[in-house]
């Protein structure tokens, strides 16, 4: 978790419930869970933004008019596994099961990013895509960026197949 009074960083727990609209038959139940998390964090539910994640490397640029997208309003970010913004008060939300959350903060430009990094996104270098998009859109300097890798599945609980190993070994052999 990134700790600074200017931002809030939070990973939901099992007790917060299922936060995925695609994995719950009741969208209203999921909205209520988002409302409960927003209340717990002291943030505005209608300013939370989520994309439709597809294990890719697309990065959505969240502007003020996107407040609530994918949660309290219709989805604006389809096939988007990372979101970035420099609009104060917007909460970027990514959904993870066994995939890895990665958070980004540029304190100099007051910009943030959140990424869903599954093995396909990791192989596609989604974190680099976020840094590149933040640099382009907000003037973020990579060396000034603070990043945090959140909790995810461990090696004792997940086994990769030979084709995944080969893909990673081929790209990151060192």
């Amino acid at each position: 978790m990134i700790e600074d009074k200017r931002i809030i960083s939070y990973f939901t727990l099992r007790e917060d419930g299922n936060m995925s609209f695609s994995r719950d038959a009741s969208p209203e139940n999921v909205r209520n869970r988002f409302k409960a998390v927003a209340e717990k964090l002291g943030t505005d539910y209608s300013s939370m933004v989520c994309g439709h994640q597809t294990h890719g490397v697309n990065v959505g640029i969240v502007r003020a008019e996107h407040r609530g997208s994918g949660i309290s309003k219709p989805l604006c970010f389809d096939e988007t596994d990372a979101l970035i913004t420099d609009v104060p008060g917007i909460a970027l939300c990514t959904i993870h099961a066994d995939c890895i959350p990665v958070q980004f903060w540029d304190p100099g430009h007051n910009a943030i990013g959140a990424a869903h990094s599954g093995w396909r996104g990791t192989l596609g270098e989604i974190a680099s895509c976020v840094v590149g998009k933040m640099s382009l859109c907000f003037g973020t300097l990579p060396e000034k960026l603070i990043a945090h890798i959140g909790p995810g599945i461990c090696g004792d609980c997940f086994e990769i197949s030979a084709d995944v190993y080969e893909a990673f070994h081929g790209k990151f052999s060192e």
Side-chain angles (χ1 to χ4, degrees):
M1 178 162 39
I2 299 169
E3 295 182 26
D4 187 288
K5 295 191 185 301
R6 292 176 286 173
I7 62 169
I8 298 170
S9 169
Y10 183 75
F11 301 107
T12 57
L13 307 171
R14 271 182 210 235
E15 63 206 38
D16 293 313
N18 177 8
M19 306 300 284
S20 174
F21 286 99
S22 64
R23 300 210 185 267
D24 192 303
S26 171
E28 193 56 35
N29 285 344
V30 177
R31 279 188 208 86
N32 287 335
R33 290 183 201 117
F34 273 103
K35 287 176 185 175
V37 168
E39 186 175 316
K40 184 187 294 188
L41 299 175
T43 191
D44 183 6
Y45 160 76
S46 64
S47 290
M48 297 173 113
V49 176
C50 195
H52 175 244
Q53 299 167 185
T54 56
H55 296 277
V57 296
N58 293 330
V59 180
I61 305 163
V62 179
R63 304 284 185 219
E65 62 268 20
H66 298 124
R67 289 180 190 273
S69 172
I71 298 175
S72 61
K73 294 188 336 192
L75 183 71
C76 294
F77 299 98
D78 196 26
E79 297 186 18
T80 304
D81 283 77
L83 300 167
I84 62 171
T85 192
D86 64 350
V87 180
I90 288 183
L92 303 180
C93 303
T94 51
I95 307 301
H96 308 268
D98 53 359
C99 298
I100 307 298
V102 186
Q103 299 174 335
F104 306 83
W105 181 42
D106 175 355
H109 295 94
N110 202 29
I112 59 171
H116 162 262
S117 188
W119 74 262
R120 287 178 185 88
T122 302
L123 187 64
E125 300 184 48
I126 192 166
S128 293
C129 295
V130 171
V131 173
K133 189 72 83 165
M134 288 180 75
S135 295
L136 182 68
C137 295
F138 311 129
T140 295
L141 299 172
E143 63 272 15
K144 300 287 185 180
L145 193 63
I146 297 168
H148 178 75
I149 299 171
I153 197 164
C154 71
D156 291 340
C157 300
F158 185 75
E159 205 171 290
I160 63 166
S161 59
D163 60 327
V164 174
Y165 171 82
E166 290 301 327
F168 274 87
H169 187 266
K171 186 165 187 172
F172 306 109
S173 60
E174 66 280 354

